Amino acid sequence: MPELLQATLLTLAASAGVIRLGITRRGYGEPYQPALFCVQLAFALAAGTGACAVAQLAFGFDTLEARRWLLQATLLLGFPLIGTVALTLARRWSWSRPGWGRMVLGLCAFFELARQLGWSEPYALGLGLGSASLILYAGLVQWPARLSTGAGILGCVLMLAALPRPTLPLADYQLLCLGLACLPLAWLLPNLRNNSNERVETST
């Protein structure tokens, strides 16, 4: 599949995720607002990656460096945010705004450190494996809600396929895998709270 088409699909899918989560946030109470904002941030990074790729491939704009940075940010910041939010929603945990803020700042710091040291690829691989595992767990605990469980499994598989492994057959389809992953994740995350148990735990 041409890279331009992959980039276009990623932009559209991730943007649709941002919009869906923005609409869904209206039905959530204050304790869940920071978590959903973090997921919107993750989808926005993915949408920015696709948009920069489209600008470069279709219009010849010099956005290669921005595209690379946003792709790294999607993998090193967006993926762990999605995985952590999936866990908190599935378990009905409610974290404070400062708690989420510290997590975002910590991930940003380690993201930049890994980038400066040239460890972005192995670091992204480790974070991606952990994040995909959290998505899988969040989906499995929804059983017997088959759609939610299936979305969790599919989201996990597509996240793993999007990880930076040049030796894999899907390495040339990373943007496509990212775009396809956005679809089940954007459906799963807003539905986790409704399918989970009613116990709510608060942490700071």
Side-chain angles (χ1 to χ4, degrees):
M1 177 181 291
E3 193 174 14
L4 176 58
L5 181 56
Q6 295 184 53
T8 302
L9 290 173
L10 171 59
T11 305
L12 294 175
S15 299
V18 173
I19 294 171
R20 171 170 168 73
L21 287 162
I23 295 173
T24 302
R25 283 180 62 186
R26 300 173 186 174
Y28 278 68
E30 174 61 26
Y32 295 100
Q33 293 296 319
L36 293 175
F37 174 79
C38 287
V39 178
Q40 282 188 286
L41 173 61
F43 278 100
L45 291 171
T49 302
C52 285
V54 169
Q56 176 196 359
L57 297 170
F59 305 105
F61 294 153
D62 185 15
T63 58
L64 180 60
E65 287 303 316
R67 169 185 169 182
R68 288 174 176 171
W69 188 91
L70 285 168
L71 177 58
Q72 288 183 337
T74 301
L75 299 175
L76 302 181
L77 176 61
F79 271 18
L81 284 177
I82 289 174
T84 304
V85 170
L87 176 64
T88 59
L89 292 179
R91 299 299 302 168
R92 300 280 294 184
W93 294 340
S94 176
W95 292 3
S96 66
R97 286 181 181 271
W100 283 110
R102 287 192 290 269
M103 168 168 282
V104 172
L105 289 176
L107 287 172
C108 287
F110 281 109
F111 160 46
E112 184 60 23
L113 179 63
R115 194 174 72 87
Q116 292 294 334
L117 295 177
W119 296 346
S120 293
E121 187 171 311
Y123 182 55
L125 180 61
L127 278 182
L129 290 172
S131 302
S133 299
L134 293 178
I135 292 294
L136 178 62
Y137 170 80
L140 292 177
V141 298
Q142 305 307 303
W143 185 262
R146 296 182 180 179
L147 286 178
S148 295
T149 300
I153 295 173
L154 181 59
C156 170
V157 171
L158 289 170
M159 286 176 70
L160 292 175
L163 294 180
R165 294 295 300 274
T167 58
L168 293 181
L170 293 176
D172 294 333
Y173 300 96
Q174 186 179 32
L175 296 182
L176 175 63
C177 292
L178 275 175
L180 293 178
C182 290
L183 300 177
L185 292 175
W187 185 89
L188 173 68
L189 292 167
N191 286 285
L192 285 175
R193 187 189 65 164
N194 297 329
N195 294 330
S196 300
N197 57 63
E198 295 301 319
R199 179 171 59 87
V200 177
E201 298 183 17
T202 304
S203 60
T204 56

